[in-house]
Amino acid sequence: MKVLMINGSPREKGCTFTALSEIADALNRQDIETEIIHIGAKPVRGCLGCGSCNKTGRCIMEDDVNAIMERLPEFDGFIFGSPVHFAALSGALTSFMDRLFYAGRHLLVLKPAAGIVSCRRGGATAAFDQINKYFTISNMPVVSSQYWNMVHGNSPEEVKQDLEGLQIMRTLGNNMAWLLKSIEAGKAAGVRPPEPEPPARTNFIR
Ligand SMILES: Cc1cc2nc3c(=O)[nH]c(=O)nc-3n(C[C@H](O)[C@H](O)[C@H](O)COP(=O)(O)O)c2cc1C
């Protein structure tokens, strides 16, 4: 089993990476493979709302979003990580997740996910709320920890001093490993995924 981890920080080996690595170590100890992909330093265009992905299954802008979307079936679980920028996710991760989830949400259904955030001081809960919205609109089981998934620090060295934050990351990794193994055991025992109903879309003007 394999978990994809997306680093949405402009800093490849910064605080977000430090937190993701702690989760990866916990997952690896439970024999779950991990891969960290860094998307935060390149320009990531925001969604154009053109609807082209509804027809083709691909984003009209050919960049990392399509490349990673093609690989989603390889992975059993997902962790998205971001630094807190003005009490929100980084611009790059916001654009990335908007487009990945708009075009590729069907590839993520019923796969466990978690978001983690890193900040110097404040805004982590707002960013954490934001990241969880992607999973809870996509039929993804959200993996939690002993506290909200956040670390504090301005540098990897500071994050390593946030012992509670690192413990939260390890617990998250252990919880995700347990859920992935439980899902696999359920499949082997013949537990079938729920049948979705035909979608009912009710707008508030009709
Ligand atoms: C543009 C920008 C905005 C930021 N806004 C916040 C903020 O709202 N609250 C906060 O505590 N830290 C803020 N920070 C600090 C980062 O969130 C913090 O240093 C984070 O741990 C960096 O993670 P990274 O090394 O993975 O990029 C901001 C940093 C930048 C560059």
Side-chain angles (χ1 to χ4, degrees):
M1 282 182 287
K2 194 165 178 186
V3 171
L4 175 63
M5 309 175 107
I6 300 290
N7 179 3
S9 164
R11 299 200 285 182
E12 185 174 9
K13 297 280 161 74
C15 304
T16 307
F17 174 82
T18 307
L20 289 174
S21 301
E22 195 73 11
I23 305 169
D25 288 347
L27 284 163
N28 298 160
R29 279 195 293 275
Q30 301 279 341
D31 299 320
I32 310 274
E33 283 179 69
T34 50
E35 179 173 342
I36 300 181
I37 299 183
H38 179 224
I39 58 102
K42 292 187 201 160
V44 185
R45 290 275 308 268
C47 180
L48 296 176
C50 65
S52 144
C53 59
N54 291 328
K55 295 177 200 125
T56 65
R58 292 178 73 77
C59 183
I60 200 164
M61 292 175 271
E62 286 297 342
D63 59 11
D64 282 355
V65 174
N66 279 336
I68 292 173
M69 194 161 62
E70 281 169 14
R71 293 192 55 203
L72 293 181
E74 280 176 45
F75 298 96
D76 305 286
F78 299 89
I79 311 246
F80 294 82
S82 182
V84 174
H85 285 178
F86 294 96
L89 302 179
S90 71
L93 191 70
T94 300
S95 294
F96 179 85
M97 291 184 79
D98 282 359
R99 289 172 48 215
L100 186 78
F101 279 74
Y102 207 68
R105 211 164 28 166
H106 56 288
L107 300 168
L108 297 164
V109 167
L110 296 178
K111 292 194 175 179
I116 62 117
V117 296
S118 171
C119 78
R120 184 189 74 79
R121 187 164 178 84
T125 47
F128 185 60
D129 287 346
Q130 184 188 345
I131 205 163
N132 283 316
K133 298 291 195 308
Y134 292 92
F135 317 134
T136 50
I137 199 173
S138 307
N139 288 293
M140 300 177 84
V142 179
V143 183
S144 63
S145 185
Q146 69 207 50
Y147 194 89
W148 301 313
N149 307 337
M150 56 187 70
V151 293
H152 286 83
N154 233 357
S155 65
E157 293 69 37
E158 286 181 4
V159 170
K160 284 178 187 151
Q161 292 171 51
D162 178 8
L163 297 184
E164 184 172 354
L166 292 179
Q167 186 174 65
I168 293 162
M169 299 301 128
R170 289 193 297 278
T171 303
L172 176 61
N174 290 336
N175 289 352
M176 179 168 267
W178 173 81
L179 185 56
L180 289 173
K181 288 176 184 179
S182 300
I183 290 171
E184 194 174 67
K187 276 186 201 157
V191 177
R192 299 189 52 75
E195 277 298 324
E197 290 187 13
R201 281 175 69 85
T202 312
N203 292 359
F204 295 116
I205 51 164
R206 56 186 155 81

